[in-house]
Amino acid sequence: MAVSKGQIWFLTGSQNLYGEDTLKQVAEQSKTVLSQLEAQVSAPVDLVWKPVLKTPEMIREVMLEASRDENCIGVITWMHTFSPAKMWINGLNALTKPLLHLHTQAGQSLPWSTLDMDFMNLNQAAHGDREYAHLVARTGMARKIVVGHPTEKSVGERITNWSFAAIGWKTSQNLKLARFGDNMRFVAVTDGDKVAAQLKLGMSIEQLGVNTLAEAVEKVSDAEAEKLTQVYEVEYDVAAELRAGGARHESLVYGAKIEIALRAILEAGGFHAFTSNFEDLGTLRQLPGLAVQRLMAEGYGFGGEGDWKTSAMGAIMKSMTPAGGGTSFMEDYTYHFGPGTPKILGAHMLEVCPTISGQKPRIEIHPLGIGGKEDPVRMVFTAKPSEGRVVCLVDIGDRFRIISNEIKIVEPTEDLPKLPVARAVWEPLPTLAASAEAWMLAGGSHHTVLTNSVSAETIEDFARIAGVELVQIDADTNLRAFRKELQYASAYHRFADAIG
Ligand code: MN
């Protein structure tokens, strides 16, 4: 398992009425349930057992601790026995971390022939959890309910998906984003309310002059940059003209200087996401391409043209990406309407993350044709076929909306020998026509985060935790129902925000 990204506390509810012997059994069974979950949950989190909760004071204390503890990213609750829910009110009111209600019981099967009242008294989650769930429903708090025995595969998967969402929420709450340059002139969807973003999602969106970067690039020594180009030559297939001794090697050295300077600024400022703007490059000689691609591969969020929302969503989704998975900044670029299944060719000017690549990326240099700077170095590759989704975060004025579209990443229909950028080709669900119509009805952006491994359920759980509207476009999307869903959601969110 990867390095833990936080703890999820496992809280078992009961009450003193049962007496010591039963409560001892409750504690033992709860530990067993936890170890069964540990065997199933594949997210990089530590599940932490806490003593059985028997009084309102204990419940409030553990919820306050969970809220205070930086390592705790969420809590799972389970009422092993009956735990009268008024005992939970003050504790739940104190909880600021994501909540999952696991509705389970220690035994998978009933011991029909020996089942007696002792067994009945010990195994009461069927009604104990309903009493608790009634109260949680009444609080209106965001929570996920998972039902089933801890050895069931679907239980492990659903808790894994939610655990990733809890990781994403922690990322969002602590995210610092550096904007090098402002928004691209006149572009609407990349703009938005940064104060609202911090209020809703916790993230701090900060402005850095682009010359902060340009000046730092100038200070990087040739020797240090040369050393990094040697790493490139080992890790990638570097074009001959860019290799040491090649005619254009100096351009690669400059690209390496951008990477070194950019990384140093991000690390010094505690930033985990950033933006650039090809229109606003100050004295930088190249649009950062290779540097952005390598930083994305390390987990940094990125958005082009000052797009901080896509960059932030990128950082969040990268933190929610299972080990070995791929997640990248993306842009719907151009269409293949046919023949064959209609497809979208996605790319950007340069900045696509190699974690979605199907091959060893090749470093090349080509003119950009826009922006009036020197030719930038970049990695070129094609995304590997996979199921996946593209996700965006938009500001629609009175609130944020996350839009997610299920896609099938496919091999390009033919080779693309003249295309000098990294790309992905995909078939959106339900069809290109219906997906694009739905996406545009919802006000989705042309910039997205493409992932081949953050699950749709994780995105759904993240949106619920964040209290942000989620619009999902998938194989089941029916446009007539979709239009109505947008109308209902609009009414709901305005009402909910007004009374919240
Ligand atoms: Mn763009």
Side-chain angles (χ1 to χ4, degrees):
M1 185 179 280
V3 178
S4 169
K5 292 182 177 177
Q7 297 178 352
I8 288 176
W9 291 9
F10 187 68
L11 310 181
T12 311
S14 188
Q15 60 178 330
N16 280 322
L17 190 72
Y18 293 103
E20 225 163 273
D21 284 354
T22 303
L23 286 170
K24 226 172 119 187
Q25 279 179 286
V26 170
E28 278 163 18
Q29 292 190 338
S30 139
K31 284 179 185 168
T32 304
V33 164
L34 182 66
S35 66
Q36 287 166 331
L37 287 181
E38 276 173 336
Q40 295 252 43
V41 172
S42 61
V45 293
D46 294 322
L47 299 177
V48 179
W49 188 84
K50 294 285 171 182
V52 176
L53 299 167
K54 293 165 279 196
T55 66
E57 292 74 21
M58 281 181 85
I59 293 168
R60 184 161 182 276
E61 187 49 38
V62 79
M63 292 301 192
L64 283 169
E65 261 178 59
S67 302
R68 240 185 344 247
D69 191 325
E70 288 287 342
N71 295 315
C72 175
I73 62 168
V75 302
I76 296 176
T77 50
W78 169 43
M79 303 308 118
H80 179 294
T81 29
F82 203 74
S83 185
K86 284 187 191 174
M87 298 201 309
W88 286 79
I89 294 175
N90 292 358
L92 287 171
N93 277 342
L95 181 67
T96 60
K97 299 288 168 74
L99 175 65
L100 184 143
H101 177 193
L102 176 63
H103 183 43
T104 192
Q105 63 182 24
Q108 187 165 25
S109 312
L110 283 180
W112 299 100
S113 62
T114 58
L115 198 152
D116 57 13
M117 278 317 287
D118 283 348
F119 182 93
M120 298 276 275
N121 283 333
L122 183 62
N123 295 278
Q124 295 194 352
H127 62 279
D129 267 330
R130 288 173 197 246
E131 157 72 2
Y132 166 76
H134 161 77
L135 187 272
V136 185
R138 193 161 161 181
T139 68
M141 8 185 350
R143 78 281 191 198
K144 182 184 184 81
I145 299 174
V146 176
V147 181
H149 192 259
T151 58
E152 285 171 33
K153 195 162 165 264
S154 67
V155 169
E157 282 172 358
R158 295 194 70 206
I159 295 178
T160 297
N161 284 328
W162 173 83
S163 300
F164 276 115
I167 291 168
W169 182 238
K170 185 176 185 190
T171 302
S172 181
Q173 292 288 294
N174 293 283
L175 185 65
K176 288 182 69 184
L177 185 148
R179 303 179 79 218
F180 295 100
D182 198 3
N183 197 52
M184 184 179 168
R185 276 192 293 277
F186 308 125
V187 178
V189 76
T190 50
D191 223 322
D193 187 338
K194 304 184 206 63
V195 176
Q198 188 156 9
L199 284 166
K200 192 76 183 171
L201 296 158
M203 54 184 62
S204 171
I205 314 297
E206 302 172 25
Q207 181 77 13
L208 272 74
V210 69
N211 281 342
T212 312
L213 175 59
E215 283 157 21
V217 170
E218 292 306 320
K219 286 185 189 135
V220 178
S221 72
D222 287 345
E224 201 185 346
E226 286 286 358
K227 224 168 117 187
L228 184 54
T229 65
Q230 286 163 19
V231 173
Y232 298 161
E233 293 203 21
V234 172
E235 289 186 18
Y236 315 106
D237 173 17
V238 180
E241 60 183 340
L242 292 174
R243 289 169 182 255
R248 307 190 73 183
H249 180 63
E250 198 278 330
S251 294
L252 187 65
V253 172
Y254 188 75
K257 286 183 179 179
I258 297 179
E259 178 181 333
I260 291 163
L262 190 48
R263 177 177 283 108
I265 292 171
L266 297 174
E267 282 177 0
F271 296 108
H272 287 99
F274 63 103
T275 65
S276 66
N277 180 354
F278 72 92
E279 245 180 3
D280 187 5
L281 290 177
T283 55
L284 274 181
R285 284 165 44 201
Q286 291 178 20
L287 173 65
L290 176 59
V292 174
Q293 293 177 296
R294 282 180 43 92
L295 286 162
M296 266 197 281
E298 283 174 29
Y300 286 92
F302 172 77
E305 292 93 63
D307 186 351
W308 55 271
K309 294 190 300 303
T310 305
S311 176
M313 205 61 210
I316 292 164
M317 285 179 59
K318 279 190 165 288
S319 74
M320 303 195 294
T321 302
T327 296
S328 177
F329 176 57
M330 189 51 67
E331 181 168 47
D332 298 84
Y333 225 110
T334 193
Y335 289 145
H336 174 72
F337 276 132
T341 308
K343 294 169 177 62
I344 298 176
L345 189 150
H348 202 253
M349 278 184 291
L350 306 170
E351 312 91 340
V352 176
C353 178
T355 56
I356 64 168
S357 175
Q359 327 83 46
K360 188 176 190 179
R362 181 173 161 80
I363 298 183
E364 301 179 9
I365 182 163
H366 302 278
L368 198 57
I370 192 166
K373 292 283 181 175
E374 292 178 14
D375 296 353
V377 291
R378 81 287 304 272
M379 277 186 237
V380 180
F381 53 84
T382 302
K384 68 175 169 225
S386 168
E387 289 184 354
R389 48 213 52 84
V390 285
V391 180
C392 74
L393 171 69
V394 289
D395 180 345
I396 54 169
D398 57 356
R399 67 185 184 280
F400 291 103
R401 172 183 279 165
I402 294 170
I403 307 167
S404 178
N405 185 188
E406 296 296 295
I407 63 169
K408 196 174 144 201
I409 305 166
V410 295
E411 290 287 359
T413 310
E414 294 179 31
D415 285 347
L416 295 156
K418 300 275 192 188
L419 185 65
V421 289
R423 61 275 181 154
V425 177
W426 67 86
E427 298 165 359
L429 298 175
T431 62
L432 190 153
S435 138
E437 185 176 335
W439 187 272
M440 292 191 286
L441 280 171
S445 59
H446 53 276
H447 285 166
T448 58
V449 179
L450 177 147
T451 180
N452 59 27
S453 47
V454 178
S455 71
E457 187 177 15
T458 291
I459 291 158
E460 190 180 333
D461 289 345
F462 174 82
R464 190 187 305 113
I465 291 167
V468 171
E469 178 188 2
L470 173 67
V471 174
Q472 284 170 303
I473 303 164
D474 57 23
D476 297 330
T477 294
N478 166 294
L479 281 158
R480 194 187 297 161
F482 186 82
R483 281 175 190 276
K484 286 186 184 149
E485 180 190 328
L486 290 179
Q487 289 171 332
Y488 298 150
S490 184
Y492 164 76
H493 283 280
R494 280 173 191 163
F495 181 65
D497 290 348
I499 61 170

